[in-house]
Coordinates of all heavy atoms in Angstrom, one line a residue:
M887 N 9.9 -63.0 -21.4 CA 9.7 -63.5 -20.0 C 9.3 -64.9 -20.0 O 8.5 -65.3 -20.8 CB 8.7 -62.6 -19.4 CG 8.4 -62.8 -18.0 SD 8.4 -61.3 -17.1 CE 8.2 -61.9 -15.4
F888 N 9.8 -65.6 -19.0 CA 9.5 -67.0 -18.9 C 8.1 -67.2 -18.4 O 7.6 -66.4 -17.6 CB 10.4 -67.8 -18.0 CG 11.8 -67.9 -18.5 CD1 12.9 -67.1 -18.1 CD2 12.1 -68.9 -19.5 CE1 14.1 -67.3 -18.6 CE2 13.3 -69.1 -20.0 CZ 14.4 -68.3 -19.5
K889 N 7.4 -68.3 -18.8 CA 6.2 -68.7 -18.2 C 6.5 -69.6 -17.0 O 7.6 -70.1 -16.9 CB 5.3 -69.4 -19.2 CG 4.8 -68.5 -20.3 CD 3.9 -69.3 -21.3 CE 3.5 -68.3 -22.4 NZ 2.6 -69.0 -23.3
S890 N 5.6 -69.8 -16.1 CA 5.8 -70.6 -14.9 C 6.3 -72.0 -15.3 O 7.2 -72.5 -14.7 CB 4.5 -70.6 -14.1 OG 4.2 -69.4 -13.6
Y891 N 5.6 -72.6 -16.3 CA 6.0 -73.9 -16.7 C 7.4 -74.0 -17.1 O 8.2 -74.9 -16.8 CB 5.0 -74.4 -17.8 CG 5.4 -75.8 -18.3 CD1 5.0 -76.9 -17.6 CD2 6.1 -76.0 -19.5 CE1 5.3 -78.2 -18.1 CE2 6.4 -77.2 -19.9 CZ 6.0 -78.3 -19.2 OH 6.3 -79.6 -19.7
D892 N 7.9 -73.0 -17.9 CA 9.3 -73.0 -18.4 C 10.2 -72.9 -17.2 O 11.3 -73.6 -17.2 CB 9.5 -71.9 -19.4 CG 8.6 -72.0 -20.6 OD1 8.3 -73.2 -21.0 OD2 8.3 -71.0 -21.2
L893 N 9.9 -72.1 -16.3 CA 10.8 -71.9 -15.1 C 10.9 -73.2 -14.3 O 11.9 -73.6 -13.8 CB 10.3 -70.7 -14.2 CG 10.6 -69.3 -14.8 CD1 10.0 -68.3 -13.9 CD2 12.1 -69.1 -14.9
I894 N 9.7 -73.8 -14.1 CA 9.7 -75.1 -13.4 C 10.6 -76.1 -14.1 O 11.4 -76.8 -13.4 CB 8.3 -75.6 -13.2 CG1 7.5 -74.7 -12.3 CG2 8.3 -77.0 -12.7 CD1 6.0 -75.0 -12.2
K895 N 10.5 -76.2 -15.4 CA 11.3 -77.2 -16.1 C 12.8 -76.9 -16.0 O 13.6 -77.8 -16.0 CB 10.9 -77.3 -17.6 CG 9.5 -77.9 -17.8 CD 9.6 -79.3 -17.3 CE 8.2 -80.0 -17.3 NZ 8.2 -81.2 -16.5
K896 N 13.2 -75.6 -16.0 CA 14.6 -75.2 -15.9 C 15.1 -75.5 -14.4 O 16.3 -75.8 -14.3 CB 14.7 -73.7 -16.2 CG 14.7 -73.4 -17.7 CD 15.2 -72.0 -17.9 CE 15.3 -71.8 -19.4 NZ 16.6 -72.1 -19.9
L897 N 14.2 -75.3 -13.4 CA 14.7 -75.5 -12.1 C 14.6 -77.0 -11.6 O 15.4 -77.4 -10.7 CB 13.8 -74.7 -11.1 CG 13.9 -73.2 -11.2 CD1 12.8 -72.5 -10.4 CD2 15.3 -72.8 -10.7
E898 N 13.8 -77.8 -12.2 CA 13.7 -79.2 -11.8 C 15.0 -80.0 -11.7 O 15.2 -80.6 -10.7 CB 12.8 -80.0 -12.8 CG 11.3 -79.9 -12.5 CD 10.5 -80.6 -13.5 OE1 11.0 -81.5 -14.2 OE2 9.3 -80.4 -13.6
P899 N 15.9 -79.9 -12.7 CA 17.1 -80.7 -12.5 C 18.0 -80.2 -11.3 O 18.7 -81.0 -10.8 CB 17.9 -80.4 -13.8 CG 16.9 -79.8 -14.8 CD 15.8 -79.2 -14.0
K900 N 17.8 -79.0 -10.9 CA 18.7 -78.5 -9.9 C 18.1 -78.6 -8.5 O 18.8 -79.0 -7.5 CB 19.0 -77.0 -10.1 CG 19.7 -76.7 -11.4 CD 20.4 -75.4 -11.4 CE 21.0 -75.1 -12.7 NZ 22.3 -75.6 -12.9
I901 N 16.8 -78.4 -8.3 CA 16.1 -78.5 -7.0 C 15.0 -79.5 -6.9 O 14.5 -79.7 -5.8 CB 15.7 -77.1 -6.6 CG1 14.6 -76.5 -7.5 CG2 16.8 -76.1 -6.5 CD1 13.9 -75.2 -7.0
G902 N 14.6 -80.1 -8.0 CA 13.5 -81.1 -7.9 C 12.2 -80.4 -8.4 O 12.0 -79.2 -8.3
E903 N 11.3 -81.3 -8.8 CA 10.0 -80.8 -9.4 C 9.1 -80.1 -8.3 O 8.6 -79.0 -8.5 CB 9.2 -82.0 -10.0 CG 7.9 -81.5 -10.7 CD 7.2 -82.7 -11.3 OE1 7.7 -83.8 -11.3 OE2 6.1 -82.4 -11.8
D904 N 8.9 -80.8 -7.2 CA 8.1 -80.2 -6.1 C 8.6 -78.9 -5.6 O 7.9 -77.9 -5.4 CB 7.9 -81.2 -5.0 CG 7.1 -82.4 -5.4 OD1 6.3 -82.3 -6.3 OD2 7.2 -83.5 -4.7
E905 N 9.9 -78.9 -5.4 CA 10.5 -77.6 -4.9 C 10.5 -76.5 -5.9 O 10.2 -75.4 -5.6 CB 12.0 -77.9 -4.5 CG 12.2 -78.8 -3.3 CD 12.0 -80.3 -3.5 OE1 11.8 -80.7 -4.7 OE2 12.1 -81.0 -2.6
A906 N 10.6 -76.9 -7.2 CA 10.5 -75.9 -8.2 C 9.1 -75.3 -8.3 O 8.9 -74.1 -8.4 CB 10.9 -76.5 -9.6
R907 N 8.1 -76.2 -8.2 CA 6.7 -75.7 -8.2 C 6.4 -74.8 -7.0 O 5.8 -73.7 -7.1 CB 5.7 -76.9 -8.2 CG 5.6 -77.6 -9.5 CD 4.6 -78.7 -9.4 NE 4.7 -79.6 -10.5 CZ 4.2 -79.3 -11.8 NH1 3.7 -78.2 -12.0 NH2 4.4 -80.2 -12.7
D908 N 6.9 -75.2 -5.8 CA 6.7 -74.4 -4.6 C 7.4 -73.1 -4.7 O 6.8 -72.0 -4.3 CB 7.3 -75.2 -3.4 CG 6.4 -76.4 -3.0 OD1 5.3 -76.5 -3.5 OD2 7.0 -77.2 -2.3
L909 N 8.6 -73.0 -5.3 CA 9.3 -71.8 -5.4 C 8.5 -70.8 -6.4 O 8.4 -69.7 -6.1 CB 10.7 -72.0 -5.9 CG 11.6 -70.8 -6.2 CD1 11.7 -70.0 -4.9 CD2 12.9 -71.2 -6.8
I910 N 8.1 -71.4 -7.5 CA 7.4 -70.5 -8.5 C 6.1 -70.0 -7.9 O 5.7 -68.9 -8.0 CB 7.1 -71.3 -9.8 CG1 8.4 -71.7 -10.4 CG2 6.3 -70.5 -10.7 CD1 9.4 -70.6 -10.7
E911 N 5.4 -70.9 -7.1 CA 4.1 -70.4 -6.5 C 4.4 -69.3 -5.5 O 3.6 -68.4 -5.4 CB 3.4 -71.6 -5.8 CG 2.8 -72.6 -6.8 CD 2.2 -73.8 -6.1 OE1 2.1 -73.8 -4.8 OE2 1.8 -74.8 -6.8
F912 N 5.5 -69.5 -4.7 CA 5.8 -68.5 -3.8 C 6.1 -67.1 -4.4 O 5.6 -66.1 -4.0 CB 7.0 -68.9 -2.9 CG 7.5 -67.9 -2.0 CD1 6.9 -67.8 -0.7 CD2 8.6 -67.1 -2.3 CE1 7.3 -66.8 0.2 CE2 9.1 -66.2 -1.4 CZ 8.4 -66.0 -0.2
I913 N 6.9 -67.2 -5.5 CA 7.3 -66.0 -6.2 C 6.1 -65.3 -6.8 O 5.9 -64.1 -6.7 CB 8.4 -66.3 -7.3 CG1 9.7 -66.7 -6.6 CG2 8.5 -65.1 -8.2 CD1 10.7 -67.2 -7.6
E914 N 5.2 -66.1 -7.4 CA 4.0 -65.5 -8.0 C 3.1 -64.9 -7.0 O 2.4 -63.9 -7.2 CB 3.3 -66.6 -8.8 CG 4.0 -66.9 -10.1 CD 3.3 -68.0 -10.9 OE1 2.4 -68.7 -10.4 OE2 3.6 -68.1 -12.1
A915 N 3.0 -65.5 -5.8 CA 2.2 -65.0 -4.7 C 2.6 -63.6 -4.2 O 1.8 -62.8 -3.9 CB 2.1 -66.0 -3.5
Y916 N 3.9 -63.4 -4.3 CA 4.4 -62.1 -3.8 C 4.9 -61.1 -4.9 O 5.5 -60.1 -4.6 CB 5.6 -62.4 -2.8 CG 5.1 -63.0 -1.5 CD1 5.1 -64.3 -1.3 CD2 4.5 -62.2 -0.5 CE1 4.6 -64.9 -0.2 CE2 4.0 -62.7 0.6 CZ 4.1 -64.0 0.8 OH 3.6 -64.6 2.0
R917 N 4.6 -61.5 -6.1 CA 5.0 -60.6 -7.2 C 4.2 -59.3 -7.1 O 3.1 -59.3 -6.8 CB 4.7 -61.3 -8.6 CG 5.3 -60.5 -9.7 CD 4.9 -61.1 -11.1 NE 4.3 -62.4 -11.1 CZ 4.4 -63.2 -12.0 NH1 5.1 -62.9 -13.1 NH2 3.8 -64.4 -12.0
G918 N 4.9 -58.2 -7.2 CA 4.3 -56.9 -7.2 C 4.3 -56.3 -5.8 O 4.0 -55.2 -5.6
D919 N 4.8 -57.1 -4.8 CA 4.8 -56.6 -3.4 C 6.1 -55.8 -3.1 O 6.2 -55.2 -2.1 CB 4.7 -57.7 -2.4 CG 3.2 -58.2 -2.3 OD1 2.3 -57.6 -2.8 OD2 3.1 -59.3 -1.7
G920 N 7.1 -55.9 -4.0 CA 8.3 -55.2 -3.8 C 8.3 -53.8 -4.1 O 7.5 -53.3 -4.9
A921 N 9.1 -53.0 -3.5 CA 9.2 -51.6 -3.7 C 10.1 -51.3 -4.9 O 11.1 -51.9 -5.1 CB 9.7 -50.8 -2.5
T922 N 9.7 -50.3 -5.7 CA 10.6 -49.9 -6.8 C 11.5 -48.8 -6.4 O 11.3 -48.2 -5.3 CB 9.7 -49.4 -8.0 OG1 9.0 -48.2 -7.6 CG2 8.7 -50.4 -8.4
K923 N 12.4 -48.4 -7.2 CA 13.3 -47.3 -6.9 C 12.5 -46.0 -6.8 O 12.8 -45.2 -5.9 CB 14.4 -47.1 -8.0 CG 15.4 -48.2 -8.0 CD 16.5 -47.9 -9.1 CE 17.5 -49.0 -9.1 NZ 18.5 -48.8 -10.1
A924 N 11.5 -45.9 -7.6 CA 10.6 -44.7 -7.5 C 9.9 -44.7 -6.2 O 9.8 -43.6 -5.6 CB 9.6 -44.7 -8.7
D925 N 9.4 -45.8 -5.7 CA 8.8 -45.9 -4.4 C 9.7 -45.4 -3.3 O 9.3 -44.7 -2.4 CB 8.3 -47.3 -4.1 CG 7.2 -47.8 -5.0 OD1 6.4 -46.9 -5.5 OD2 7.1 -49.0 -5.2
I926 N 10.9 -45.9 -3.3 CA 11.9 -45.6 -2.3 C 12.3 -44.1 -2.4 O 12.4 -43.4 -1.3 CB 13.2 -46.4 -2.5 CG1 12.8 -47.9 -2.2 CG2 14.3 -46.0 -1.6 CD1 13.9 -48.9 -2.5
E927 N 12.4 -43.5 -3.6 CA 12.7 -42.1 -3.7 C 11.5 -41.3 -3.1 O 11.8 -40.3 -2.5 CB 12.9 -41.7 -5.2 CG 14.3 -42.1 -5.7 CD 15.4 -41.6 -4.9 OE1 15.4 -40.4 -4.6 OE2 16.3 -42.3 -4.5
L928 N 10.3 -41.7 -3.4 CA 9.1 -41.0 -2.8 C 9.1 -41.0 -1.3 O 8.8 -40.0 -0.6 CB 7.8 -41.5 -3.4 CG 7.5 -41.2 -4.8 CD1 6.3 -42.0 -5.3 CD2 7.4 -39.7 -5.0
L929 N 9.5 -42.2 -0.7 CA 9.6 -42.3 0.7 C 10.7 -41.4 1.3 O 10.5 -40.8 2.3 CB 9.9 -43.7 1.1 CG 8.7 -44.7 1.0 CD1 9.1 -46.1 1.3 CD2 7.6 -44.3 2.0
K930 N 11.8 -41.3 0.6 CA 12.9 -40.4 1.0 C 12.4 -39.0 1.0 O 12.7 -38.2 2.0 CB 14.1 -40.5 0.1 CG 14.9 -41.8 0.3 CD 16.1 -41.9 -0.6 CE 16.9 -43.1 -0.5 NZ 18.0 -43.2 -1.4
I931 N 11.8 -38.6 0.0 CA 11.3 -37.2 -0.1 C 10.2 -36.9 1.0 O 10.3 -35.9 1.6 CB 10.6 -36.9 -1.5 CG1 11.7 -36.9 -2.6 CG2 9.9 -35.6 -1.6 CD1 11.2 -37.0 -4.0
D932 N 9.3 -37.9 1.2 CA 8.3 -37.7 2.2 C 9.0 -37.6 3.6 O 8.6 -36.8 4.4 CB 7.3 -38.9 2.2 CG 6.1 -38.7 3.1 OD1 5.6 -37.6 3.1 OD2 5.7 -39.6 3.8
G933 N 10.0 -38.5 3.8 CA 10.7 -38.4 5.1 C 11.4 -37.1 5.3 O 11.4 -36.6 6.4
E934 N 12.0 -36.6 4.3 CA 12.7 -35.3 4.4 C 11.7 -34.1 4.7 O 11.9 -33.3 5.5 CB 13.4 -35.0 3.1 CG 14.3 -33.7 3.2 CD 15.4 -33.9 4.1 OE1 15.9 -35.0 4.3 OE2 15.8 -32.8 4.7
K935 N 10.5 -34.2 4.0 CA 9.5 -33.2 4.3 C 9.0 -33.3 5.7 O 8.8 -32.2 6.4 CB 8.3 -33.4 3.4 CG 8.5 -32.9 1.9 CD 7.3 -33.2 1.1 CE 7.5 -32.8 -0.4 NZ 6.3 -33.1 -1.2
T936 N 8.8 -34.5 6.2 CA 8.4 -34.7 7.6 C 9.4 -34.2 8.6 O 9.1 -33.5 9.6 CB 8.1 -36.2 7.8 OG1 7.1 -36.6 6.9 CG2 7.6 -36.4 9.3
R937 N 10.7 -34.5 8.3 CA 11.8 -34.0 9.2 C 11.8 -32.5 9.2 O 12.0 -31.9 10.3 CB 13.1 -34.6 8.7 CG 14.3 -34.3 9.5 CD 15.6 -34.9 9.1 NE 15.6 -35.5 7.8 CZ 15.6 -36.8 7.6 NH1 15.6 -37.6 8.6 NH2 15.7 -37.4 6.4
N938 N 11.7 -31.9 8.1 CA 11.7 -30.4 8.0 C 10.5 -29.8 8.8 O 10.7 -28.8 9.5 CB 11.7 -29.9 6.6 CG 13.0 -30.2 5.9 OD1 14.1 -30.4 6.5 ND2 13.0 -30.3 4.5
A939 N 9.4 -30.4 8.6 CA 8.2 -29.8 9.3 C 8.3 -30.0 10.8 O 7.9 -29.1 11.5 CB 6.9 -30.6 8.8
L940 N 8.8 -31.1 11.2 CA 9.0 -31.4 12.6 C 10.1 -30.4 13.2 O 9.9 -29.9 14.3 CB 9.5 -32.8 12.8 CG 9.6 -33.3 14.3 CD1 8.4 -33.1 15.1 CD2 10.1 -34.7 14.3
G941 N 11.1 -30.1 12.4 CA 12.1 -29.2 12.9 C 11.5 -27.8 13.1 O 11.9 -27.1 14.0
V942 N 10.7 -27.4 12.2 CA 10.0 -26.1 12.3 C 9.1 -26.0 13.5 O 9.2 -25.1 14.3 CB 9.2 -25.8 11.0 CG1 8.3 -24.6 11.2 CG2 10.1 -25.6 9.8
K943 N 8.4 -27.1 13.8 CA 7.6 -27.2 15.0 C 8.4 -27.1 16.3 O 8.0 -26.5 17.2 CB 6.7 -28.4 14.9 CG 5.5 -28.3 13.9 CD 4.7 -29.5 13.9 CE 3.6 -29.4 12.9 NZ 2.6 -30.6 12.9
I944 N 9.5 -27.9 16.3 CA 10.4 -27.9 17.4 C 10.9 -26.5 17.7 O 10.9 -26.0 18.8 CB 11.5 -28.9 17.3 CG1 10.9 -30.3 17.3 CG2 12.6 -28.7 18.3 CD1 11.9 -31.4 17.0
D945 N 11.4 -25.8 16.6 CA 11.9 -24.5 16.8 C 10.9 -23.5 17.3 O 11.1 -22.6 18.2 CB 12.5 -24.0 15.4 CG 13.8 -24.7 15.0 OD1 14.4 -25.3 15.9 OD2 14.1 -24.6 13.8
R946 N 9.7 -23.6 16.8 CA 8.6 -22.7 17.2 C 8.2 -23.0 18.7 O 8.1 -22.0 19.4 CB 7.3 -23.0 16.3 CG 6.2 -22.0 16.6 CD 5.0 -22.2 15.8 NE 5.2 -22.7 14.4 CZ 4.6 -23.7 13.8 NH1 3.7 -24.4 14.5 NH2 4.9 -24.0 12.6
T947 N 8.2 -24.2 19.1 CA 7.9 -24.5 20.5 C 9.0 -24.0 21.4 O 8.7 -23.4 22.4 CB 7.8 -26.1 20.6 OG1 6.8 -26.5 19.8 CG2 7.5 -26.5 22.1
K948 N 10.3 -24.2 21.0 CA 11.4 -23.6 21.8 C 11.3 -22.1 21.9 O 11.5 -21.6 23.0 CB 12.7 -24.0 21.2 CG 13.1 -25.4 21.3 CD 14.5 -25.7 20.7 CE 14.9 -27.1 20.8 NZ 16.2 -27.4 20.2
S949 N 10.9 -21.5 20.8 CA 10.8 -20.0 20.9 C 9.7 -19.6 21.8 O 9.8 -18.6 22.6 CB 10.5 -19.5 19.4 OG 10.3 -18.1 19.4
E950 N 8.5 -20.3 21.7 CA 7.4 -20.0 22.6 C 7.7 -20.2 24.1 O 7.3 -19.4 24.9 CB 6.2 -20.8 22.2 CG 5.6 -20.4 20.9 CD 4.5 -21.3 20.4 OE1 4.2 -22.4 21.0 OE2 4.0 -21.1 19.3
Q951 N 8.5 -21.3 24.4 CA 8.9 -21.5 25.7 C 9.8 -20.5 26.3 O 9.7 -20.1 27.4 CB 9.6 -22.9 25.8 CG 8.6 -24.1 25.7 CD 9.3 -25.4 25.7 OE1 10.5 -25.5 25.5 NE2 8.5 -26.4 26.0
K952 N 10.7 -20.0 25.5 CA 11.6 -18.9 25.9 C 10.8 -17.6 26.2 O 11.2 -16.9 27.2 CB 12.7 -18.6 24.8 CG 13.7 -19.6 24.7 CD 14.7 -19.3 23.6 CE 15.8 -20.4 23.5 NZ 16.7 -20.1 22.4
K953 N 9.8 -17.3 25.5 CA 9.0 -16.1 25.7 C 8.2 -16.3 27.0 O 8.0 -15.3 27.8 CB 8.0 -15.9 24.6 CG 8.6 -15.5 23.3 CD 7.6 -15.3 22.2 CE 8.3 -15.0 20.9 NZ 7.3 -14.9 19.8
K954 N 7.8 -17.4 27.4 CA 7.0 -17.7 28.6 C 7.8 -17.8 29.8 O 7.4 -17.5 30.9 CB 6.1 -18.9 28.4 CG 5.0 -18.8 27.4 CD 4.3 -20.1 27.3 CE 3.2 -20.1 26.3 NZ 2.5 -21.3 26.1
K955 N 9.0 -18.2 29.7 CA 9.9 -18.4 30.8 C 10.5 -17.1 31.4 O 11.1 -16.4 30.6 CB 11.1 -19.3 30.4 CG 11.9 -19.9 31.5 CD 12.9 -20.9 30.9 CE 13.7 -21.5 32.0 NZ 14.6 -22.5 31.4
P956 N 10.2 -16.8 32.7 CA 10.8 -15.6 33.2 C 12.3 -15.7 33.3 O 12.9 -16.8 33.5 CB 10.2 -15.5 34.6 CG 9.7 -16.8 34.9 CD 9.5 -17.5 33.6
K957 N 13.0 -14.6 33.1 CA 14.4 -14.5 33.1 C 14.9 -14.7 34.6 O 14.3 -14.3 35.5 CB 15.0 -13.2 32.5 CG 14.7 -13.1 31.1 CD 15.3 -11.9 30.5 CE 14.9 -11.8 29.0 NZ 15.4 -10.6 28.4
K958 N 16.1 -15.3 34.7 CA 16.7 -15.5 36.1 C 17.0 -14.2 36.7 O 17.5 -13.3 36.0 CB 17.9 -16.4 36.0 CG 17.6 -17.8 35.6 CD 18.8 -18.7 35.6 CE 18.5 -20.1 35.2 NZ 19.7 -20.9 35.2
G959 N 16.8 -14.1 38.0 CA 17.2 -12.9 38.7 C 16.2 -11.8 38.7 O 16.3 -10.9 39.5
K960 N 15.2 -11.9 37.9 CA 14.1 -10.8 37.9 C 12.9 -11.4 38.5 O 12.5 -12.6 38.2 CB 13.8 -10.4 36.5 CG 15.0 -9.6 35.9 CD 14.5 -8.9 34.7 CE 15.6 -8.0 34.1 NZ 15.2 -7.2 33.1
K961 N 12.2 -10.7 39.4 CA 11.0 -11.1 40.0 C 9.8 -10.8 39.1 O 9.8 -9.9 38.3 CB 10.8 -10.4 41.3 CG 11.8 -10.7 42.3 CD 11.5 -10.0 43.6 CE 12.6 -10.4 44.7 NZ 12.4 -9.7 45.9
N962 N 8.8 -11.7 39.2 CA 7.6 -11.5 38.5 C 6.9 -10.3 39.0 O 6.5 -10.3 40.2 CB 6.8 -12.8 38.5 CG 5.7 -12.8 37.5 OD1 5.4 -11.8 36.9 ND2 5.0 -13.9 37.4
T963 N 6.7 -9.3 38.2 CA 6.1 -8.0 38.7 C 4.6 -7.9 38.3 O 4.0 -6.8 38.3 CB 6.9 -6.8 38.1 OG1 6.9 -6.9 36.7 CG2 8.3 -6.8 38.7
Q964 N 4.0 -9.0 37.8 CA 2.6 -8.9 37.4 C 1.7 -8.8 38.6 O 2.0 -9.4 39.6 CB 2.2 -10.2 36.6 CG 2.9 -10.3 35.2 CD 2.5 -11.5 34.5 OE1 1.9 -12.4 35.1 NE2 2.9 -11.6 33.3
K965 N 0.7 -8.0 38.4 CA -0.3 -7.8 39.5 C -1.3 -9.0 39.5 O -1.7 -9.5 38.5 CB -1.1 -6.5 39.4 CG -0.2 -5.3 39.6 CD -1.0 -4.1 39.4 CE -0.2 -2.9 39.6 NZ -0.9 -1.6 39.5
K966 N -1.7 -9.4 40.7 CA -2.7 -10.5 40.8 C -4.1 -10.0 41.0 O -4.4 -9.0 41.5 CB -2.3 -11.4 41.9 CG -1.0 -12.1 41.7 CD -0.7 -13.1 42.8 CE 0.6 -13.8 42.6 NZ 1.0 -14.6 43.6

């Protein structure tokens, strides 16, 4: 792996010394902030679990609403 100094020296002829230093400083400041493939896979799994759990809750709520809703054409015969 290159050291910062080595990278600056390689970039200097192409983009200039100040720009090379700025670029390396920027990269070093954000190193480690990127997501790995494993991170993305974990997010996919978590998203799928959340979607499934939400689907179960939606189905349960629909089922409960059907039970509470009186059928059309029949009068409510409950005593008050």
Side-chain angles (χ1 to χ4, degrees):
M887 181 134 188
F888 289 105
K889 293 183 180 179
S890 296
Y891 178 80
D892 296 332
L893 286 174
I894 291 169
K895 289 300 173 191
K896 283 192 173 274
L897 291 170
E898 273 182 17
K900 300 201 185 273
I901 63 173
E903 182 179 357
D904 291 336
E905 290 80 3
R907 287 184 194 283
D908 291 343
L909 178 60
I910 299 304
E911 286 176 12
F912 176 80
I913 291 170
E914 288 178 344
Y916 290 96
R917 189 183 350 206
D919 286 347
T922 65
K923 287 182 181 180
D925 294 334
I926 293 169
E927 285 302 314
L928 289 173
L929 285 174
K930 286 180 182 178
I931 291 167
D932 189 44
E934 188 64 32
K935 286 179 182 179
T936 302
R937 184 180 7 258
N938 291 338
L940 184 57
V942 169
K943 287 182 180 182
I944 289 171
D945 291 342
R946 187 179 325 131
T947 301
K948 285 180 180 179
S949 175
E950 289 171 359
Q951 287 177 342
K952 286 181 182 178
K953 289 178 185 177
K954 291 180 181 178
K955 191 175 185 179
K957 293 183 180 179
K958 290 183 181 179
K960 293 194 177 188
K961 293 182 181 179
N962 192 349
T963 58
Q964 292 179 350
K965 293 183 181 179
K966 292 182 182 179

